[in-house]
Amino acid sequence: MALDRPSPNDLRAFWMPFTANRQFKAAPRMFVGAKDMHYTTAEGRQVLDGTAGLWCCNAGHCRPKITEAVQKQVAELDYAPAFQMGHPIAFELANRIIDMAPDGIDHVFYTNSGSESVETALKIAIAYHRARGDGARTRLIGRERGYHGVNFGGISVGGIVNNRKVFGTMLGGVDHLPHTHLPENAWTKGQPDHGANLADDLERIVALHGAETIAACIVEPVAGSTGVLLPPKGYLERLREICTKHGILLIFDEVITGFGRLGSPFAAQHFDVLPDMMTTAKGLTNGVIPMGAVLTTGAVHDAFMQGPEHLIELFHGYTYSGNPIACAAGLATLETYAEEGLFDRCAEIAPYWQEALHSLQDARHVIDIRNMGLIGAVELEPIAGAPTKRAFSAFLKAYEKGILIRTTGDIIAMSPPLIIDRAQVDELIGTLREVLDALD
Ligand code: PXG
């Protein structure tokens, strides 16, 4: 029976995520193809990808090894039950992830997205303490301006106001550290000098609530979505110290920093600070198939491995946890990163990226620039009375001129695939300068 479908150019049914739907549908921007550093638009134009999709296509687009692995897997074992059954490739991928994770991180719990990784890690944290007879530790600490996905746990510990304010009651028992955006750090290249003391607020929160009520503290090592905020020198170390002192689990949300974005496999290695759990997604499969993972220390995992062996230790999981096709994409992605040395390549090109980005200091409307690894943010002076409008205009103009950037508030954020070369950095930054100079 033929399905009665609307024509392909009827845009009404799809309620688009995090999108100005009416604006988009009045003037759609459609991608129909992608290869390496470029998208192809419906009109046949090439657009240079300055954002790795949404911070996820770290190896660039339509990479043959990943494509072939997915094609092969879908024909061989399409799906297998995720509960009480296994399939080899899920175990294989977990081992490969652990090989690249910091020493001390030994276990992998699969999810399907960054948001699910966050919910999973928060639940594991609470259940971990309970499993150890410390069941009063249920409080969760996040940070202002933090982004931890869009589910209720994530928006509760998160601190992006628009993601919270219209959704009613959040999780109870949540407190927030202050964000680390200090005006004295403007124009800093890499990690800023000022603000390590902001981590001491965790001591204040501990004093207020009592350490014995706090399960975990979750932060992005580099805050991405809010507009790229770097951790001040010594800040993450101090958080680690305070968490350890008070028995609080430290969770790094590495959804964007994981898989090479800073030039190391994970931010934990880049900053040499070991969390108790890491949440990941995105670059794990190069964005090709949805997949996320929570990585934990042996101590966190082992706390659950008590009691009768026929009983389920953690009442949590998703129908698609460790989906075979996602695992195949993940394995091929990690192989691509390794074979092409993409994390080293990121570290190598990062200084060039930094200088190119900071060359925009005198471009119109620019009030700050921040960077690390292959991440960059250009903050614009908002139009009085119309916040976000200037950056959104920049985004639209940039797209017309053949580069894809992201904006959050009045901040332009970029995170190109790790395969970007110097000429493409020049093109991205050069075009962005033209865009900024042409803005009202
Ligand atoms: N944690 C962090 C740190 C993230 O950056 C998530 C969790 C949620 O992941 P999922 O897979 O559920 O979307 C994210 C996602 C942007 C942008 O342009 C950032 C994200 C997603 C989309 C756009 O800043 N981060």
Side-chain angles (χ1 to χ4, degrees):
M1 195 181 71
L3 293 174
D4 186 14
R5 291 210 176 99
S7 67
N9 58 3
D10 184 335
L11 306 184
R12 284 173 299 181
F14 177 21
W15 186 349
M16 298 171 71
F18 271 119
T19 295
N21 275 254
R22 288 158 300 158
Q23 192 278 347
F24 180 94
K25 290 173 188 182
R29 301 172 291 278
M30 299 279 203
F31 288 140
V32 295
K35 184 70 195 143
D36 299 331
M37 280 298 302
H38 291 90
Y39 282 108
T40 306
T41 71
E43 301 79 27
R45 285 193 306 121
Q46 292 289 291
V47 174
L48 182 65
D49 183 3
T51 58
L54 288 176
W55 310 75
C56 49
C57 309
N58 291 2
H61 297 277
C62 289
R63 302 304 313 274
K65 184 160 203 154
I66 305 170
T67 309
E68 282 156 26
V70 169
Q71 286 169 335
K72 183 164 171 286
Q73 186 62 44
V74 73
E76 202 172 279
L77 175 68
D78 53 352
Y79 177 80
F83 305 165
Q84 304 286 20
M85 292 299 298
H87 55 90
I89 193 174
F91 295 87
E92 176 66 16
L93 176 61
N95 291 332
R96 297 289 78 78
I97 295 170
I98 289 316
D99 287 346
M100 60 192 281
D103 287 345
I105 297 284
D106 301 329
H107 296 278
V108 175
F109 195 101
Y110 291 118
T111 70
N112 306 287
S113 66
S115 298
E116 288 182 359
S117 291
V118 167
E119 304 303 299
T120 299
L122 298 178
K123 288 176 70 178
I124 290 178
I126 291 169
Y128 160 84
H129 291 293
R130 190 183 162 104
R132 299 170 76 239
D134 213 355
R137 285 189 184 261
T138 56
R139 192 173 287 280
L140 301 167
I141 312 300
R143 191 169 58 191
E144 295 164 356
R145 297 190 65 170
Y147 186 66
H148 300 294
V150 292
N151 293 339
F152 274 107
I155 61 173
S156 300
V157 292
I160 295 193
V161 177
N162 281 338
N163 291 352
R164 303 163 54 87
K165 70 179 178 197
V166 303
F167 299 110
T169 315
M170 302 282 118
L171 283 189
V174 171
D175 212 335
H176 290 79
L177 292 165
H179 66 71
T180 61
H181 191 38
L182 298 178
E184 57 267 42
N185 289 325
W187 310 109
T188 300
K189 296 176 176 175
Q191 266 191 288
D193 288 327
H194 308 286
N197 58 312
L198 292 167
D200 293 335
D201 261 60
L202 188 53
E203 285 284 12
R204 181 185 59 78
I205 292 171
V206 167
L208 181 66
H209 299 292
E212 70 284 0
T213 69
I214 303 177
C217 172
I218 182 168
V219 293
E220 300 159 87
V222 173
S225 275
T226 190
V228 183
L229 304 182
L230 284 316
K233 287 176 188 155
Y235 175 89
L236 294 173
E237 292 85 342
R238 188 85 190 99
L239 272 191
R240 177 67 276 181
E241 258 172 53
I242 299 170
C243 285
T244 303
K245 177 175 158 200
H246 294 293
I248 298 167
L249 294 179
L250 178 61
I251 305 170
F252 277 178
D253 187 342
E254 295 238 20
V255 167
I256 63 163
T257 50
F259 305 101
R261 179 102 345 248
L262 301 181
S264 309
F266 297 99
Q269 288 134 326
H270 187 81
F271 296 114
D272 197 19
V273 175
L274 184 70
D276 300 286
M277 282 190 266
M278 299 155 69
T279 50
T280 70
K282 294 193 189 265
L284 170 54
T285 58
N286 206 37
V288 173
I289 304 281
M291 182 177 232
V294 177
L295 319 186
T296 79
T297 58
V300 168
H301 168 268
D302 294 350
F304 290 87
M305 300 301 136
Q306 315 287 336
E309 293 194 3
H310 69 286
L311 293 182
I312 293 166
E313 297 100 357
L314 176 64
F315 278 79
H316 180 74
Y318 302 97
T319 300
Y320 306 113
S321 287
N323 173 279
I325 301 166
C327 289
L331 268 181
T333 296
L334 301 193
E335 281 166 20
T336 303
Y337 293 151
E339 282 167 14
E340 300 182 7
L342 290 185
F343 302 169
D344 290 341
R345 193 190 156 103
C346 171
E348 268 160 41
I349 202 166
Y352 189 83
W353 169 251
Q354 171 171 285
E355 294 314 307
L357 202 67
H358 281 266
S359 75
L360 293 171
Q361 182 159 3
D362 62 349
R364 274 188 85 197
H365 312 298
V366 175
I367 56 171
D368 191 14
I369 295 178
R370 302 181 283 275
N371 71 285
M372 179 164 282
L374 269 175
I375 302 179
V378 178
E379 183 154 359
L380 307 182
E381 173 85 53
I383 296 172
T388 77
K389 201 165 174 206
R390 180 167 278 145
F392 190 59
S393 303
F395 164 74
L396 295 175
K397 278 209 169 66
Y399 174 73
E400 278 168 29
K401 284 181 171 286
I403 58 168
L404 184 67
I405 59 176
R406 281 277 300 161
T407 65
T408 169
D410 275 292
I411 302 165
I412 293 169
M414 289 174 290
S415 52
L418 312 182
I419 58 169
I420 193 169
D421 65 25
R422 289 177 175 217
Q424 289 160 335
V425 170
D426 293 346
E427 183 188 339
L428 186 61
I429 302 298
T431 310
L432 184 56
R433 173 179 283 277
E434 288 169 24
V435 166
L436 294 175
D437 287 345
L439 282 184
D440 296 332

